[in-house]
mmCIF file with all atom_site columns, all heavy atoms in Angstrom:
data_model
loop_
_atom_site.group_PDB
_atom_site.id
_atom_site.type_symbol
_atom_site.label_atom_id
_atom_site.label_alt_id
_atom_site.label_comp_id
_atom_site.label_asym_id
_atom_site.label_entity_id
_atom_site.label_seq_id
_atom_site.pdbx_PDB_ins_code
_atom_site.Cartn_x
_atom_site.Cartn_y
_atom_site.Cartn_z
_atom_site.occupancy
_atom_site.B_iso_or_equiv
_atom_site.pdbx_formal_charge
_atom_site.auth_seq_id
_atom_site.auth_comp_id
_atom_site.auth_asym_id
_atom_site.auth_atom_id
_atom_site.pdbx_PDB_model_num
ATOM 1   N N   . ALA A 1 1  ? -15.183 -5.804  -6.436 1.00 97.00 ? 1  ALA A N   1
ATOM 2   C CA  . ALA A 1 1  ? -15.492 -5.482  -5.046 1.00 97.00 ? 1  ALA A CA  1
ATOM 3   C C   . ALA A 1 1  ? -14.481 -6.072  -4.075 1.00 97.00 ? 1  ALA A C   1
ATOM 4   O O   . ALA A 1 1  ? -14.145 -5.455  -3.059 1.00 97.00 ? 1  ALA A O   1
ATOM 5   C CB  . ALA A 1 1  ? -16.896 -5.974  -4.713 1.00 97.00 ? 1  ALA A CB  1
ATOM 6   N N   . ASP A 1 2  ? -14.000 -7.280  -4.371 1.00 96.00 ? 2  ASP A N   1
ATOM 7   C CA  . ASP A 1 2  ? -13.000 -7.912  -3.510 1.00 96.00 ? 2  ASP A CA  1
ATOM 8   C C   . ASP A 1 2  ? -11.621 -7.911  -4.173 1.00 96.00 ? 2  ASP A C   1
ATOM 9   O O   . ASP A 1 2  ? -10.742 -8.702  -3.818 1.00 96.00 ? 2  ASP A O   1
ATOM 10  C CB  . ASP A 1 2  ? -13.406 -9.347  -3.157 1.00 96.00 ? 2  ASP A CB  1
ATOM 11  C CG  . ASP A 1 2  ? -13.559 -10.230 -4.395 1.00 96.00 ? 2  ASP A CG  1
ATOM 12  O OD1 . ASP A 1 2  ? -13.567 -9.680  -5.525 1.00 96.00 ? 2  ASP A OD1 1
ATOM 13  O OD2 . ASP A 1 2  ? -13.677 -11.451 -4.245 1.00 96.00 ? 2  ASP A OD2 1
ATOM 14  N N   . GLY A 1 3  ? -11.437 -7.028  -5.160 1.00 97.00 ? 3  GLY A N   1
ATOM 15  C CA  . GLY A 1 3  ? -10.166 -6.962  -5.873 1.00 97.00 ? 3  GLY A CA  1
ATOM 16  C C   . GLY A 1 3  ? -9.056  -6.360  -5.026 1.00 97.00 ? 3  GLY A C   1
ATOM 17  O O   . GLY A 1 3  ? -9.294  -5.703  -4.012 1.00 97.00 ? 3  GLY A O   1
ATOM 18  N N   . LEU A 1 4  ? -7.819  -6.579  -5.478 1.00 98.00 ? 4  LEU A N   1
ATOM 19  C CA  . LEU A 1 4  ? -6.649  -6.097  -4.753 1.00 98.00 ? 4  LEU A CA  1
ATOM 20  C C   . LEU A 1 4  ? -5.727  -5.326  -5.679 1.00 98.00 ? 4  LEU A C   1
ATOM 21  O O   . LEU A 1 4  ? -5.595  -5.646  -6.865 1.00 98.00 ? 4  LEU A O   1
ATOM 22  C CB  . LEU A 1 4  ? -5.865  -7.265  -4.154 1.00 98.00 ? 4  LEU A CB  1
ATOM 23  C CG  . LEU A 1 4  ? -6.553  -8.089  -3.058 1.00 98.00 ? 4  LEU A CG  1
ATOM 24  C CD1 . LEU A 1 4  ? -5.643  -9.237  -2.651 1.00 98.00 ? 4  LEU A CD1 1
ATOM 25  C CD2 . LEU A 1 4  ? -6.906  -7.228  -1.867 1.00 98.00 ? 4  LEU A CD2 1
ATOM 26  N N   . VAL A 1 5  ? -5.070  -4.321  -5.111 1.00 98.00 ? 5  VAL A N   1
ATOM 27  C CA  . VAL A 1 5  ? -3.992  -3.609  -5.776 1.00 98.00 ? 5  VAL A CA  1
ATOM 28  C C   . VAL A 1 5  ? -2.720  -3.899  -4.991 1.00 98.00 ? 5  VAL A C   1
ATOM 29  O O   . VAL A 1 5  ? -2.678  -3.731  -3.770 1.00 98.00 ? 5  VAL A O   1
ATOM 30  C CB  . VAL A 1 5  ? -4.247  -2.086  -5.811 1.00 98.00 ? 5  VAL A CB  1
ATOM 31  C CG1 . VAL A 1 5  ? -3.043  -1.355  -6.420 1.00 98.00 ? 5  VAL A CG1 1
ATOM 32  C CG2 . VAL A 1 5  ? -5.509  -1.775  -6.606 1.00 98.00 ? 5  VAL A CG2 1
ATOM 33  N N   . VAL A 1 6  ? -1.693  -4.362  -5.686 1.00 97.00 ? 6  VAL A N   1
ATOM 34  C CA  . VAL A 1 6  ? -0.409  -4.684  -5.056 1.00 97.00 ? 6  VAL A CA  1
ATOM 35  C C   . VAL A 1 6  ? 0.616   -3.669  -5.541 1.00 97.00 ? 6  VAL A C   1
ATOM 36  O O   . VAL A 1 6  ? 1.008   -3.664  -6.705 1.00 97.00 ? 6  VAL A O   1
ATOM 37  C CB  . VAL A 1 6  ? 0.042   -6.119  -5.415 1.00 97.00 ? 6  VAL A CB  1
ATOM 38  C CG1 . VAL A 1 6  ? 1.376   -6.445  -4.729 1.00 97.00 ? 6  VAL A CG1 1
ATOM 39  C CG2 . VAL A 1 6  ? -1.030  -7.132  -5.023 1.00 97.00 ? 6  VAL A CG2 1
ATOM 40  N N   . LEU A 1 7  ? 1.025   -2.789  -4.622 1.00 97.00 ? 7  LEU A N   1
ATOM 41  C CA  . LEU A 1 7  ? 1.929   -1.687  -4.952 1.00 97.00 ? 7  LEU A CA  1
ATOM 42  C C   . LEU A 1 7  ? 3.301   -1.967  -4.362 1.00 97.00 ? 7  LEU A C   1
ATOM 43  O O   . LEU A 1 7  ? 3.420   -2.269  -3.175 1.00 97.00 ? 7  LEU A O   1
ATOM 44  C CB  . LEU A 1 7  ? 1.371   -0.377  -4.384 1.00 97.00 ? 7  LEU A CB  1
ATOM 45  C CG  . LEU A 1 7  ? 2.276   0.860   -4.421 1.00 97.00 ? 7  LEU A CG  1
ATOM 46  C CD1 . LEU A 1 7  ? 2.588   1.272   -5.854 1.00 97.00 ? 7  LEU A CD1 1
ATOM 47  C CD2 . LEU A 1 7  ? 1.627   2.006   -3.642 1.00 97.00 ? 7  LEU A CD2 1
ATOM 48  N N   . ARG A 1 8  ? 4.336   -1.846  -5.197 1.00 95.00 ? 8  ARG A N   1
ATOM 49  C CA  . ARG A 1 8  ? 5.707   -1.989  -4.695 1.00 95.00 ? 8  ARG A CA  1
ATOM 50  C C   . ARG A 1 8  ? 6.399   -0.639  -4.722 1.00 95.00 ? 8  ARG A C   1
ATOM 51  O O   . ARG A 1 8  ? 6.345   0.082   -5.724 1.00 95.00 ? 8  ARG A O   1
ATOM 52  C CB  . ARG A 1 8  ? 6.503   -2.994  -5.532 1.00 95.00 ? 8  ARG A CB  1
ATOM 53  C CG  . ARG A 1 8  ? 7.907   -3.213  -4.944 1.00 95.00 ? 8  ARG A CG  1
ATOM 54  C CD  . ARG A 1 8  ? 8.627   -4.370  -5.586 1.00 95.00 ? 8  ARG A CD  1
ATOM 55  N NE  . ARG A 1 8  ? 9.014   -4.111  -6.951 1.00 95.00 ? 8  ARG A NE  1
ATOM 56  C CZ  . ARG A 1 8  ? 10.191  -4.483  -7.481 1.00 95.00 ? 8  ARG A CZ  1
ATOM 57  N NH1 . ARG A 1 8  ? 11.091  -5.113  -6.745 1.00 95.00 ? 8  ARG A NH1 1
ATOM 58  N NH2 . ARG A 1 8  ? 10.467  -4.252  -8.742 1.00 95.00 ? 8  ARG A NH2 1
ATOM 59  N N   . THR A 1 9  ? 7.064   -0.297  -3.623 1.00 95.00 ? 9  THR A N   1
ATOM 60  C CA  . THR A 1 9  ? 7.791   0.959   -3.510 1.00 95.00 ? 9  THR A CA  1
ATOM 61  C C   . THR A 1 9  ? 9.129   0.706   -2.808 1.00 95.00 ? 9  THR A C   1
ATOM 62  O O   . THR A 1 9  ? 9.306   -0.346  -2.166 1.00 95.00 ? 9  THR A O   1
ATOM 63  C CB  . THR A 1 9  ? 7.009   2.004   -2.687 1.00 95.00 ? 9  THR A CB  1
ATOM 64  O OG1 . THR A 1 9  ? 7.024   1.612   -1.301 1.00 95.00 ? 9  THR A OG1 1
ATOM 65  C CG2 . THR A 1 9  ? 5.579   2.149   -3.166 1.00 95.00 ? 9  THR A CG2 1
ATOM 66  N N   . PRO A 1 10 ? 10.056  1.658   -2.882 1.00 94.00 ? 10 PRO A N   1
ATOM 67  C CA  . PRO A 1 10 ? 11.230  1.559   -2.016 1.00 94.00 ? 10 PRO A CA  1
ATOM 68  C C   . PRO A 1 10 ? 10.795  1.591   -0.553 1.00 94.00 ? 10 PRO A C   1
ATOM 69  O O   . PRO A 1 10 ? 9.817   2.263   -0.197 1.00 94.00 ? 10 PRO A O   1
ATOM 70  C CB  . PRO A 1 10 ? 12.054  2.805   -2.378 1.00 94.00 ? 10 PRO A CB  1
ATOM 71  C CG  . PRO A 1 10 ? 11.550  3.228   -3.719 1.00 94.00 ? 10 PRO A CG  1
ATOM 72  C CD  . PRO A 1 10 ? 10.113  2.852   -3.755 1.00 94.00 ? 10 PRO A CD  1
ATOM 73  N N   . LYS A 1 11 ? 11.510  0.889   0.289  1.00 91.00 ? 11 LYS A N   1
ATOM 74  C CA  . LYS A 1 11 ? 11.134  0.759   1.691  1.00 91.00 ? 11 LYS A CA  1
ATOM 75  C C   . LYS A 1 11 ? 10.987  2.103   2.390  1.00 91.00 ? 11 LYS A C   1
ATOM 76  O O   . LYS A 1 11 ? 10.102  2.292   3.225  1.00 91.00 ? 11 LYS A O   1
ATOM 77  C CB  . LYS A 1 11 ? 12.178  -0.107  2.409  1.00 91.00 ? 11 LYS A CB  1
ATOM 78  C CG  . LYS A 1 11 ? 11.909  -0.373  3.869  1.00 91.00 ? 11 LYS A CG  1
ATOM 79  C CD  . LYS A 1 11 ? 12.979  -1.286  4.440  1.00 91.00 ? 11 LYS A CD  1
ATOM 80  C CE  . LYS A 1 11 ? 12.744  -1.579  5.914  1.00 91.00 ? 11 LYS A CE  1
ATOM 81  N NZ  . LYS A 1 11 ? 13.799  -2.501  6.440  1.00 91.00 ? 11 LYS A NZ  1
ATOM 82  N N   . ARG A 1 12 ? 11.847  3.073   2.045  1.00 92.00 ? 12 ARG A N   1
ATOM 83  C CA  . ARG A 1 12 ? 11.861  4.339   2.775  1.00 92.00 ? 12 ARG A CA  1
ATOM 84  C C   . ARG A 1 12 ? 10.889  5.384   2.222  1.00 92.00 ? 12 ARG A C   1
ATOM 85  O O   . ARG A 1 12 ? 10.823  6.493   2.754  1.00 92.00 ? 12 ARG A O   1
ATOM 86  C CB  . ARG A 1 12 ? 13.283  4.904   2.789  1.00 92.00 ? 12 ARG A CB  1
ATOM 87  C CG  . ARG A 1 12 ? 14.259  4.016   3.558  1.00 92.00 ? 12 ARG A CG  1
ATOM 88  C CD  . ARG A 1 12 ? 15.631  4.641   3.650  1.00 92.00 ? 12 ARG A CD  1
ATOM 89  N NE  . ARG A 1 12 ? 16.547  3.783   4.395  1.00 92.00 ? 12 ARG A NE  1
ATOM 90  C CZ  . ARG A 1 12 ? 17.821  4.084   4.641  1.00 92.00 ? 12 ARG A CZ  1
ATOM 91  N NH1 . ARG A 1 12 ? 18.313  5.238   4.198  1.00 92.00 ? 12 ARG A NH1 1
ATOM 92  N NH2 . ARG A 1 12 ? 18.579  3.248   5.324  1.00 92.00 ? 12 ARG A NH2 1
ATOM 93  N N   . VAL A 1 13 ? 10.156  5.049   1.186  1.00 94.00 ? 13 VAL A N   1
ATOM 94  C CA  . VAL A 1 13 ? 9.143   5.974   0.672  1.00 94.00 ? 13 VAL A CA  1
ATOM 95  C C   . VAL A 1 13 ? 7.894   5.856   1.537  1.00 94.00 ? 13 VAL A C   1
ATOM 96  O O   . VAL A 1 13 ? 7.399   4.752   1.794  1.00 94.00 ? 13 VAL A O   1
ATOM 97  C CB  . VAL A 1 13 ? 8.809   5.660   -0.800 1.00 94.00 ? 13 VAL A CB  1
ATOM 98  C CG1 . VAL A 1 13 ? 7.551   6.398   -1.238 1.00 94.00 ? 13 VAL A CG1 1
ATOM 99  C CG2 . VAL A 1 13 ? 9.972   6.050   -1.700 1.00 94.00 ? 13 VAL A CG2 1
ATOM 100 N N   . GLU A 1 14 ? 7.378   6.970   1.997  1.00 93.00 ? 14 GLU A N   1
ATOM 101 C CA  . GLU A 1 14 ? 6.171   6.975   2.819  1.00 93.00 ? 14 GLU A CA  1
ATOM 102 C C   . GLU A 1 14 ? 4.934   7.059   1.923  1.00 93.00 ? 14 GLU A C   1
ATOM 103 O O   . GLU A 1 14 ? 4.672   8.074   1.296  1.00 93.00 ? 14 GLU A O   1
ATOM 104 C CB  . GLU A 1 14 ? 6.199   8.150   3.792  1.00 93.00 ? 14 GLU A CB  1
ATOM 105 C CG  . GLU A 1 14 ? 7.275   8.027   4.871  1.00 93.00 ? 14 GLU A CG  1
ATOM 106 C CD  . GLU A 1 14 ? 7.150   9.106   5.933  1.00 93.00 ? 14 GLU A CD  1
ATOM 107 O OE1 . GLU A 1 14 ? 6.094   9.775   5.975  1.00 93.00 ? 14 GLU A OE1 1
ATOM 108 O OE2 . GLU A 1 14 ? 8.109   9.272   6.701  1.00 93.00 ? 14 GLU A OE2 1
ATOM 109 N N   . CYS A 1 15 ? 4.200   5.978   1.887  1.00 96.00 ? 15 CYS A N   1
ATOM 110 C CA  . CYS A 1 15 ? 2.985   5.898   1.073  1.00 96.00 ? 15 CYS A CA  1
ATOM 111 C C   . CYS A 1 15 ? 1.778   6.205   1.951  1.00 96.00 ? 15 CYS A C   1
ATOM 112 O O   . CYS A 1 15 ? 1.654   5.650   3.051  1.00 96.00 ? 15 CYS A O   1
ATOM 113 C CB  . CYS A 1 15 ? 2.858   4.503   0.472  1.00 96.00 ? 15 CYS A CB  1
ATOM 114 S SG  . CYS A 1 15 ? 1.317   4.182   -0.400 1.00 96.00 ? 15 CYS A SG  1
ATOM 115 N N   . PRO A 1 16 ? 0.870   7.074   1.496  1.00 97.00 ? 16 PRO A N   1
ATOM 116 C CA  . PRO A 1 16 ? -0.351  7.321   2.281  1.00 97.00 ? 16 PRO A CA  1
ATOM 117 C C   . PRO A 1 16 ? -1.128  6.022   2.496  1.00 97.00 ? 16 PRO A C   1
ATOM 118 O O   . PRO A 1 16 ? -1.150  5.148   1.626  1.00 97.00 ? 16 PRO A O   1
ATOM 119 C CB  . PRO A 1 16 ? -1.140  8.292   1.397  1.00 97.00 ? 16 PRO A CB  1
ATOM 120 C CG  . PRO A 1 16 ? -0.114  8.936   0.520  1.00 97.00 ? 16 PRO A CG  1
ATOM 121 C CD  . PRO A 1 16 ? 0.924   7.887   0.270  1.00 97.00 ? 16 PRO A CD  1
ATOM 122 N N   . GLU A 1 17 ? -1.754  5.892   3.655  1.00 97.00 ? 17 GLU A N   1
ATOM 123 C CA  . GLU A 1 17 ? -2.508  4.677   3.947  1.00 97.00 ? 17 GLU A CA  1
ATOM 124 C C   . GLU A 1 17 ? -3.703  4.514   3.023  1.00 97.00 ? 17 GLU A C   1
ATOM 125 O O   . GLU A 1 17 ? -4.073  3.401   2.658  1.00 97.00 ? 17 GLU A O   1
ATOM 126 C CB  . GLU A 1 17 ? -2.973  4.687   5.404  1.00 97.00 ? 17 GLU A CB  1
ATOM 127 C CG  . GLU A 1 17 ? -3.683  3.421   5.821  1.00 97.00 ? 17 GLU A CG  1
ATOM 128 C CD  . GLU A 1 17 ? -3.997  3.373   7.299  1.00 97.00 ? 17 GLU A CD  1
ATOM 129 O OE1 . GLU A 1 17 ? -3.381  4.145   8.060  1.00 97.00 ? 17 GLU A OE1 1
ATOM 130 O OE2 . GLU A 1 17 ? -4.864  2.560   7.689  1.00 97.00 ? 17 GLU A OE2 1
ATOM 131 N N   . THR A 1 18 ? -4.300  5.638   2.631  1.00 98.00 ? 18 THR A N   1
ATOM 132 C CA  . THR A 1 18 ? -5.436  5.619   1.718  1.00 98.00 ? 18 THR A CA  1
ATOM 133 C C   . THR A 1 18 ? -5.053  6.357   0.439  1.00 98.00 ? 18 THR A C   1
ATOM 134 O O   . THR A 1 18 ? -4.541  7.473   0.482  1.00 98.00 ? 18 THR A O   1
ATOM 135 C CB  . THR A 1 18 ? -6.663  6.282   2.351  1.00 98.00 ? 18 THR A CB  1
ATOM 136 O OG1 . THR A 1 18 ? -7.047  5.527   3.511  1.00 98.00 ? 18 THR A OG1 1
ATOM 137 C CG2 . THR A 1 18 ? -7.824  6.325   1.373  1.00 98.00 ? 18 THR A CG2 1
ATOM 138 N N   . LEU A 1 19 ? -5.284  5.695   -0.679 1.00 98.00 ? 19 LEU A N   1
ATOM 139 C CA  . LEU A 1 19 ? -4.994  6.283   -1.989 1.00 98.00 ? 19 LEU A CA  1
ATOM 140 C C   . LEU A 1 19 ? -6.309  6.384   -2.749 1.00 98.00 ? 19 LEU A C   1
ATOM 141 O O   . LEU A 1 19 ? -6.675  5.483   -3.509 1.00 98.00 ? 19 LEU A O   1
ATOM 142 C CB  . LEU A 1 19 ? -3.976  5.428   -2.745 1.00 98.00 ? 19 LEU A CB  1
ATOM 143 C CG  . LEU A 1 19 ? -2.568  5.383   -2.130 1.00 98.00 ? 19 LEU A CG  1
ATOM 144 C CD1 . LEU A 1 19 ? -1.719  4.318   -2.814 1.00 98.00 ? 19 LEU A CD1 1
ATOM 145 C CD2 . LEU A 1 19 ? -1.894  6.744   -2.224 1.00 98.00 ? 19 LEU A CD2 1
ATOM 146 N N   . GLY A 1 20 ? -7.028  7.465   -2.504 1.00 97.00 ? 20 GLY A N   1
ATOM 147 C CA  . GLY A 1 20 ? -8.333  7.618   -3.141 1.00 97.00 ? 20 GLY A CA  1
ATOM 148 C C   . GLY A 1 20 ? -9.277  6.530   -2.672 1.00 97.00 ? 20 GLY A C   1
ATOM 149 O O   . GLY A 1 20 ? -9.534  6.393   -1.471 1.00 97.00 ? 20 GLY A O   1
ATOM 150 N N   . PRO A 1 21 ? -9.767  5.695   -3.586 1.00 98.00 ? 21 PRO A N   1
ATOM 151 C CA  . PRO A 1 21 ? -10.767 4.689   -3.221 1.00 98.00 ? 21 PRO A CA  1
ATOM 152 C C   . PRO A 1 21 ? -10.194 3.422   -2.596 1.00 98.00 ? 21 PRO A C   1
ATOM 153 O O   . PRO A 1 21 ? -10.952 2.565   -2.150 1.00 98.00 ? 21 PRO A O   1
ATOM 154 C CB  . PRO A 1 21 ? -11.424 4.365   -4.570 1.00 98.00 ? 21 PRO A CB  1
ATOM 155 C CG  . PRO A 1 21 ? -10.322 4.584   -5.556 1.00 98.00 ? 21 PRO A CG  1
ATOM 156 C CD  . PRO A 1 21 ? -9.529  5.754   -5.027 1.00 98.00 ? 21 PRO A CD  1
ATOM 157 N N   . VAL A 1 22 ? -8.873  3.279   -2.572 1.00 98.00 ? 22 VAL A N   1
ATOM 158 C CA  . VAL A 1 22 ? -8.278  2.057   -2.021 1.00 98.00 ? 22 VAL A CA  1
ATOM 159 C C   . VAL A 1 22 ? -7.507  2.374   -0.745 1.00 98.00 ? 22 VAL A C   1
ATOM 160 O O   . VAL A 1 22 ? -6.894  3.434   -0.610 1.00 98.00 ? 22 VAL A O   1
ATOM 161 C CB  . VAL A 1 22 ? -7.374  1.337   -3.043 1.00 98.00 ? 22 VAL A CB  1
ATOM 162 C CG1 . VAL A 1 22 ? -8.204  0.802   -4.191 1.00 98.00 ? 22 VAL A CG1 1
ATOM 163 C CG2 . VAL A 1 22 ? -6.270  2.247   -3.561 1.00 98.00 ? 22 VAL A CG2 1
ATOM 164 N N   . THR A 1 23 ? -7.549  1.407   0.169  1.00 98.00 ? 23 THR A N   1
ATOM 165 C CA  . THR A 1 23 ? -6.937  1.568   1.483  1.00 98.00 ? 23 THR A CA  1
ATOM 166 C C   . THR A 1 23 ? -5.990  0.410   1.757  1.00 98.00 ? 23 THR A C   1
ATOM 167 O O   . THR A 1 23 ? -6.245  -0.732  1.358  1.00 98.00 ? 23 THR A O   1
ATOM 168 C CB  . THR A 1 23 ? -8.025  1.597   2.583  1.00 98.00 ? 23 THR A CB  1
ATOM 169 O OG1 . THR A 1 23 ? -8.902  2.704   2.337  1.00 98.00 ? 23 THR A OG1 1
ATOM 170 C CG2 . THR A 1 23 ? -7.412  1.746   3.963  1.00 98.00 ? 23 THR A CG2 1
ATOM 171 N N   . THR A 1 24 ? -4.906  0.695   2.462  1.00 97.00 ? 24 THR A N   1
ATOM 172 C CA  . THR A 1 24 ? -3.916  -0.324  2.792  1.00 97.00 ? 24 THR A CA  1
ATOM 173 C C   . THR A 1 24 ? -4.504  -1.390  3.709  1.00 97.00 ? 24 THR A C   1
ATOM 174 O O   . THR A 1 24 ? -5.095  -1.077  4.744  1.00 97.00 ? 24 THR A O   1
ATOM 175 C CB  . THR A 1 24 ? -2.691  0.319   3.466  1.00 97.00 ? 24 THR A CB  1
ATOM 176 O OG1 . THR A 1 24 ? -2.109  1.264   2.573  1.00 97.00 ? 24 THR A OG1 1
ATOM 177 C CG2 . THR A 1 24 ? -1.663  -0.736  3.832  1.00 97.00 ? 24 THR A CG2 1
ATOM 178 N N   . LYS A 1 25 ? -4.340  -2.650  3.319  1.00 96.00 ? 25 LYS A N   1
ATOM 179 C CA  . LYS A 1 25 ? -4.758  -3.786  4.135  1.00 96.00 ? 25 LYS A CA  1
ATOM 180 C C   . LYS A 1 25 ? -3.574  -4.416  4.853  1.00 96.00 ? 25 LYS A C   1
ATOM 181 O O   . LYS A 1 25 ? -3.715  -4.943  5.950  1.00 96.00 ? 25 LYS A O   1
ATOM 182 C CB  . LYS A 1 25 ? -5.436  -4.847  3.253  1.00 96.00 ? 25 LYS A CB  1
ATOM 183 C CG  . LYS A 1 25 ? -6.603  -4.337  2.418  1.00 96.00 ? 25 LYS A CG  1
ATOM 184 C CD  . LYS A 1 25 ? -7.722  -3.776  3.278  1.00 96.00 ? 25 LYS A CD  1
ATOM 185 C CE  . LYS A 1 25 ? -8.890  -3.304  2.422  1.00 96.00 ? 25 LYS A CE  1
ATOM 186 N NZ  . LYS A 1 25 ? -9.983  -2.725  3.250  1.00 96.00 ? 25 LYS A NZ  1
ATOM 187 N N   . ARG A 1 26 ? -2.425  -4.383  4.213  1.00 94.00 ? 26 ARG A N   1
ATOM 188 C CA  . ARG A 1 26 ? -1.225  -4.980  4.807  1.00 94.00 ? 26 ARG A CA  1
ATOM 189 C C   . ARG A 1 26 ? 0.004   -4.432  4.100  1.00 94.00 ? 26 ARG A C   1
ATOM 190 O O   . ARG A 1 26 ? -0.014  -4.214  2.889  1.00 94.00 ? 26 ARG A O   1
ATOM 191 C CB  . ARG A 1 26 ? -1.262  -6.508  4.662  1.00 94.00 ? 26 ARG A CB  1
ATOM 192 C CG  . ARG A 1 26 ? -0.157  -7.259  5.410  1.00 94.00 ? 26 ARG A CG  1
ATOM 193 C CD  . ARG A 1 26 ? -0.424  -7.295  6.898  1.00 94.00 ? 26 ARG A CD  1
ATOM 194 N NE  . ARG A 1 26 ? 0.679   -7.848  7.659  1.00 94.00 ? 26 ARG A NE  1
ATOM 195 C CZ  . ARG A 1 26 ? 0.842   -9.140  7.941  1.00 94.00 ? 26 ARG A CZ  1
ATOM 196 N NH1 . ARG A 1 26 ? -0.013  -10.031 7.488  1.00 94.00 ? 26 ARG A NH1 1
ATOM 197 N NH2 . ARG A 1 26 ? 1.852   -9.550  8.673  1.00 94.00 ? 26 ARG A NH2 1
ATOM 198 N N   . THR A 1 27 ? 1.066   -4.218  4.832  1.00 93.00 ? 27 THR A N   1
ATOM 199 C CA  . THR A 1 27 ? 2.351   -3.811  4.259  1.00 93.00 ? 27 THR A CA  1
ATOM 200 C C   . THR A 1 27 ? 3.424   -4.741  4.776  1.00 93.00 ? 27 THR A C   1
ATOM 201 O O   . THR A 1 27 ? 3.485   -5.034  5.978  1.00 93.00 ? 27 THR A O   1
ATOM 202 C CB  . THR A 1 27 ? 2.705   -2.360  4.644  1.00 93.00 ? 27 THR A CB  1
ATOM 203 O OG1 . THR A 1 27 ? 1.701   -1.476  4.151  1.00 93.00 ? 27 THR A OG1 1
ATOM 204 C CG2 . THR A 1 27 ? 4.046   -1.956  4.058  1.00 93.00 ? 27 THR A CG2 1
ATOM 205 N N   . LYS A 1 28 ? 4.285   -5.204  3.856  1.00 89.00 ? 28 LYS A N   1
ATOM 206 C CA  . LYS A 1 28 ? 5.404   -6.046  4.248  1.00 89.00 ? 28 LYS A CA  1
ATOM 207 C C   . LYS A 1 28 ? 6.667   -5.551  3.575  1.00 89.00 ? 28 LYS A C   1
ATOM 208 O O   . LYS A 1 28 ? 6.640   -5.033  2.461  1.00 89.00 ? 28 LYS A O   1
ATOM 209 C CB  . LYS A 1 28 ? 5.139   -7.516  3.876  1.00 89.00 ? 28 LYS A CB  1
ATOM 210 C CG  . LYS A 1 28 ? 4.279   -8.258  4.875  1.00 89.00 ? 28 LYS A CG  1
ATOM 211 C CD  . LYS A 1 28 ? 4.989   -8.384  6.215  1.00 89.00 ? 28 LYS A CD  1
ATOM 212 C CE  . LYS A 1 28 ? 4.175   -9.178  7.206  1.00 89.00 ? 28 LYS A CE  1
ATOM 213 N NZ  . LYS A 1 28 ? 4.882   -9.314  8.495  1.00 89.00 ? 28 LYS A NZ  1
#
């Protein structure tokens, strides 16, 4: 329930804010 997914991508790739059941909390 409080788990996290940490996704790494190239900086210029546009990732959707919501990926199915998970939502972006922070991007750096």
